[in-house]
Amino acid sequence: MTGTTEVRESGTTGTLLLGAAPIGRPEDASPRLRAALAAAPVIAAEDTRRLRRLTADLGVETSGRVVSYFDQNECARAEELLADLLAGRDVLVVTDAGLPGVSDPGYRLVVAAVAAGVPVSVLPGPSAVTTALVASGLPTDRFCFEGFPPRKPGERARRLAALAAEPRTMVFFEAPHRLAATLAAMGEAFGADRPAAVCRELTKTYEEIRRGPLGELAAWAEQGVRGEITLVVGGAPEPAGLTEPADLAAAVAGREEAGVPRKEAISEIAKENGVPKRVVYDAVVAARK
């Protein structure tokens, strides 16, 4: 068994700090984040204007150098920030909201820091993922985070088809102008009656949590939705366990219509129903004859 252990010798390197920023209300900022904002020699912010707004709301004055750190410059900036860390300067990473690295810049710098033996420390705090999960009314004992669904309809359909049998509660992010199309695609992949919750503007003045079947939520979203969206979808119910050849073939056909390659669809249906792949393959061949 192998692993990595962080050992810091005094004065050798700085520490990479990942600070969770409020997702709506500035007062949700932790005391540790306030202290780090005031003291960090280097602050890497997803949006420097939003950082200035946050520090003003918190009554905090920064003393270190502030640099931008967003999706488009993440790779190049990571090298610069790693150099700061290796020179002994602590670097605080703050995104617009929530924890860096969760569908936001941060992951690449963490990987580089770990590889270079630089300590990584997290200042925990607000998260849209767990906030939406516990507010959704859906099971919380097991869940998975799927980030943003693909934008292109075909890629989105294939991704959702692969998740159709996922038993855990699923959490997604989505842009408001794509919400209706995504909910409709989820209804096709998971079934229009699958329970879900659309969480909008979490912790903010106009927070809204709308719960219901995917089909109903898709129809509601057609009217137009604004704000930051976190989407929570219930996991797949326990499979009934298909055994009849016609049913197995129909299940494969459904996956193929959603864009899943036939070989992959056969493998998925076999695994989900506890039958050998050869049985499913023979059922598909027989149905096509």
Side-chain angles (χ1 to χ4, degrees), residues 22-199:
I23 60 176
R25 297 177 179 270
E27 57 265 36
D28 289 338
S30 72
R32 291 183 66 196
L33 177 63
R34 292 169 182 262
L37 286 168
V42 182
I43 301 175
E46 184 177 12
D47 186 327
T48 56
R49 293 167 299 179
R50 294 188 66 165
L51 173 66
R52 287 195 295 270
R53 193 180 312 141
L54 175 62
T55 55
D57 289 339
L58 298 177
V60 172
E61 290 190 13
T62 60
S63 58
R65 185 175 90 254
V66 176
V67 299
S68 62
Y69 182 56
F70 50 93
D71 289 336
Q72 285 69 34
N73 75 351
E74 184 177 3
C75 291
R77 187 72 82 187
E79 295 183 9
E80 174 187 327
L81 296 173
L82 182 61
D84 280 313
L85 290 163
L86 294 175
R89 290 182 285 273
D90 291 348
V91 173
L92 171 65
V93 178
V94 182
T95 57
D96 291 346
L99 197 61
V102 181
S103 283
D104 277 324
Y107 169 73
R108 290 182 176 85
L109 182 55
V110 171
V111 171
V114 170
V118 171
V120 178
S121 183
V122 177
L123 312 182
S127 167
V129 175
T130 51
T131 300
L133 176 69
V134 298
S136 69
L138 295 168
T140 60
D141 54 335
R142 297 180 66 217
F143 72 94
C144 59
F145 175 59
E146 289 293 327
F148 284 90
R151 298 183 181 186
K152 296 182 179 179
E155 294 178 6
R156 181 173 56 210
R158 287 190 289 274
R159 173 77 61 82
L160 296 177
L163 292 171
E166 171 57 62
R168 297 171 293 179
T169 299
M170 296 170 282
V171 183
F172 300 84
F173 288 159
E174 188 52 291
H177 63 278
R178 291 195 297 269
L179 180 62
T182 293
L183 287 168
M186 287 180 170
E188 293 178 5
F190 304 155
D193 59 345
R194 182 78 71 89
V198 176
C199 303

Side-chain angles (χ1 to χ4, degrees), residues 4-17:
T4 60
T5 301
E6 292 180 352
V7 179
R8 180 182 182 183
E9 296 180 10
S10 178
T12 56
T13 72
T15 296
L16 175 60
L17 304 170

